[in-house]
Amino acid sequence: MSSANITLLGAIAGFTIYLGLPIGRLRTPTPRLKAGLNAVAIGILVFLVWDVLTHAWEPVDEALSKHDWGTVASGGGTLAAGLTIGLAGLVHYDSWISRRRNSAERPSGPGAAATAELAPKTRSQAGSLALMIATGIGLHNFAEGLAIGNSAAQGELSLAVLLIIGFGLHNATEGFGIVAPLAAEGERPSWITLLWLGLIGGGPTFLGTLVGQHLVNDTLSIAFLGLAAGSILYVVIELLAVARRTGLKTLTTWCILLGLLLGFVTDAVVTAAGA
């Protein structure tokens, strides 16, 4: 299979994320549907945190068994740095955005109230969450693309194709996870917004496939996986707070379980391929 065909298949795997995004266009979802969508997204994202950290830790764990302390130090340090930037970085970013939003909502001076009313609204909390989810998934998908490209570069074409199939299934469920906060808040995103979120979340699979065919580097992969895990974990914390406010504990529990099971089911092809 040619390099161009592998890259094309990587692009298809990434853009299956658009299969789940139209759910965000649902009109006036009921409170139970909102809670259910939010909880399924939590389940999917919890699975992704586990999946990402497992792949990120694998090279370090292998180095530990071989007593390769240099690789342990570099890989472990890279993972710790990625987690810190992905998790703590988003906390500080969110605080900064909140301060800017509060400043924009506090008009001062003559005619300020009228001016504020005419000014464009800042991005909503649900919109910010959706963007953060898409960014975290995009980092994750870049690392997945690296895995596809690396396999192809090493001549393991059957593995590369199976990875493409598995990651494509994964991305289809990840698109649902991106728009869940919007659906939960009853916000109906435009098609342009969905296109943009899909590019952020799914596009990096294509880029990773392209880069991975020319660059085989464990440290780079660990760095992106660490960033992805940290950012996704932050979003899980935020979505759990939303779930608690609904008061629908039983529904939330079952839907989180459903999301987890969806993650494992769509990961089956990747696991069978030995990734």
Side-chain angles (χ1 to χ4, degrees):
M1 188 179 295
S2 68
S3 174
N5 286 340
I6 288 290
T7 303
L8 175 61
L9 289 175
I12 293 171
F15 289 104
T16 56
I17 202 165
Y18 284 108
L19 296 176
L21 289 175
I23 292 175
R25 297 271 302 168
L26 287 175
R27 292 181 182 274
T28 59
T30 65
R32 291 183 66 83
L33 178 59
K34 293 178 185 179
L37 289 172
N38 186 73
V40 172
I42 292 171
I44 293 170
L45 294 173
V46 167
F47 171 82
L48 282 176
V49 170
W50 171 81
D51 187 47
V52 168
L53 288 177
T54 298
H55 284 83
W57 184 251
E58 191 175 335
V60 181
D61 193 53
E62 186 178 339
L64 279 168
S65 66
K66 296 177 180 177
H67 303 290
D68 183 356
W69 305 120
T71 302
V72 170
S74 63
T78 300
L79 177 57
L83 275 169
T84 301
I85 294 170
L87 180 56
L90 280 179
V91 170
H92 291 291
Y93 170 76
D94 191 41
S95 298
W96 177 70
I97 288 294
S98 295
R99 288 196 298 272
R100 284 176 58 88
R101 184 182 297 119
N102 291 336
S103 297
E105 291 174 353
R106 284 198 301 267
S108 60
T115 303
E117 197 168 318
L118 293 173
K121 299 285 185 182
T122 56
R123 184 184 293 120
S124 68
Q125 184 67 21
S128 297
L129 266 178
L131 180 59
M132 289 177 187
I133 293 173
T135 302
I137 286 175
L139 291 169
H140 173 219
N141 285 343
F142 184 84
E144 289 184 343
L146 287 176
I148 294 171
N150 284 182
S151 299
Q154 294 166 3
E156 300 174 357
L157 293 181
S158 61
L159 172 59
V161 172
L162 284 172
L163 287 174
I164 288 166
I165 295 170
F167 291 151
L169 291 171
H170 245 126
N171 282 342
T173 60
E174 289 169 352
F176 170 76
I178 290 172
V179 295
L182 295 169
E185 292 298 323
E187 293 190 23
R188 196 163 181 261
S190 67
W191 288 111
I192 295 297
T193 298
L194 294 182
L195 175 65
W196 179 239
L197 290 173
L199 282 174
I200 294 172
T205 308
F206 164 73
L207 295 176
T209 302
L210 198 61
V211 172
Q213 293 182 73
H214 305 285
L215 179 64
V216 181
N217 188 298
D218 279 345
T219 302
L220 181 64
S221 180
I222 290 172
F224 275 98
L225 288 170
L227 282 168
S231 57
I232 294 171
L233 182 57
Y234 171 79
V235 172
V236 167
I237 294 169
E238 292 292 298
L239 293 181
L240 283 170
V242 174
R244 183 171 292 275
R245 288 199 297 269
T246 66
L248 299 169
K249 187 175 181 179
T250 302
L251 175 66
T252 296
T253 300
W254 279 105
C255 287
I256 288 176
L257 176 61
L258 174 61
L260 274 170
L261 293 176
L262 281 173
F264 279 105
V265 167
T266 57
D267 194 49
V269 175
V270 180
T271 304

